Amino acid sequence: DDAMVNHMFGILKAFGVNEIILGNMYIGGCTVETHFYNAVNDSPSYTYRKTSSNSDNPGVFINTANMKLSDALKDENWDLITLQQASHDSGMISTYKVDQINYILDLALRTTKNYKIQFAWHMTWAYHKNTGHSAFPKYSNDQITMYEAICGCVNQNIVNNDYINFVIPAGTAIQNARSSYLGDNLTE
C-alpha cells in the first residue's frame, strides 16, 4: 500500500508514462486466503484506492469504501494486476494455496475488460532485524530465516504458476539493499 499510494504515480511519471490509472484493493494485513473468500463471496470488504493522470488531482488517491473485487476488476481496462501474500504469512508455505491464488487470477481473467491482462506476484520482504512485529517469532525472530522462507514459497508456488507472468522481487531488492551502506534501515 505504501509504495502504491506514496510513490508509484511519481515513479511512473519519472519514467515518462503519461497515461496512468492506479487502483488498489486494500485491507490492511490481508492474506491470500482472505482475498480468496472475498472473491468467492463477492464481498464488499475493500477500500478501493484509485488515482488517474486524467483526474482533477493526478496522483491523489480517492478512497471508496465497501468495494468488491469484481467491481474493481470491471472498473478499468487494467493492463497489470498484482497479488501478494500478507507479510506475516509470506514465508509460510502452508498459506500459499495454489487453488486459491488461481481462483483469484481466473476471476480477474474472466472479469476484466482487457484480454491481454498480465499478472505479477509482489514478493514481500523480511522484517527489519529489530522489528517488534507479532509474526516475527514464526521466523525465529531472524531476518535471514524469514527472507529464505519467502524465497522458498515464491519459488515453489509462484514462479511456475501459469497465470503469473512475472515476480516483482521487492523482497530480494530490499535484502540486497540491506547489505549495502544503507544497512537495515529501509523498513520496520
Side-chain angles (χ1 to χ4, degrees), residues 62-123:
I62 304 299
N63 295 336
T64 305
N66 305 315
M67 280 290 285
K68 301 175 188 178
L69 283 173
S70 61
D71 290 336
L73 290 167
K74 291 181 228 176
D75 186 44
E76 293 291 343
N77 190 22
W78 303 111
D79 294 315
L80 174 67
I81 293 176
T82 67
L83 183 63
Q84 73 179 54
Q85 181 56 287
S87 66
H88 58 271
D89 280 350
S90 61
M92 300 283 111
I93 197 73
S94 64
T95 69
Y96 283 71
K97 296 181 173 80
V98 175
D99 59 327
Q100 292 178 354
I101 294 167
N102 289 351
Y103 182 92
I104 296 164
L105 298 176
D106 186 61
L107 172 69
L109 273 176
R110 290 182 284 113
T111 308
T112 189
K113 298 174 185 178
N114 185 353
Y115 72 93
K116 294 181 180 180
I117 188 91
Q118 290 200 347
F119 298 109
W121 182 267
H122 178 253
M123 175 191 183

Side-chain angles (χ1 to χ4, degrees), residues 110-184:
R110 290 182 284 113
T111 308
T112 189
K113 298 174 185 178
N114 185 353
Y115 72 93
K116 294 181 180 180
I117 188 91
Q118 290 200 347
F119 298 109
W121 182 267
H122 178 253
M123 175 191 183
T124 57
W125 50 83
Y127 296 140
H128 184 278
K129 287 180 183 177
N130 297 320
T131 186
H133 197 290
S134 62
F136 204 37
K138 290 182 183 182
Y139 306 98
S140 303
N141 293 309
D142 183 75
Q143 184 182 86
I144 298 300
T145 299
M146 185 175 185
Y147 171 68
E148 289 174 351
I150 293 167
C151 289
C153 290
V154 170
N155 286 332
Q156 184 171 334
N157 288 312
I158 303 302
V159 169
N160 294 317
N161 185 307
D162 291 336
Y163 283 97
I164 298 174
N165 300 95
F166 59 94
V167 173
I168 301 168
T172 298
I174 294 292
Q175 201 63 37
N176 288 344
R178 287 173 170 157
S179 68
S180 75
Y181 71 92
L182 297 171
D184 198 16

Side-chain angles (χ1 to χ4, degrees), residues 47-65:
T47 298
Y48 180 39
R49 298 176 177 177
K50 182 179 170 185
T51 188
S52 169
S53 56
N54 297 324
S55 72
D56 292 336
N57 294 305
V60 175
F61 281 79
I62 304 299
N63 295 336
T64 305

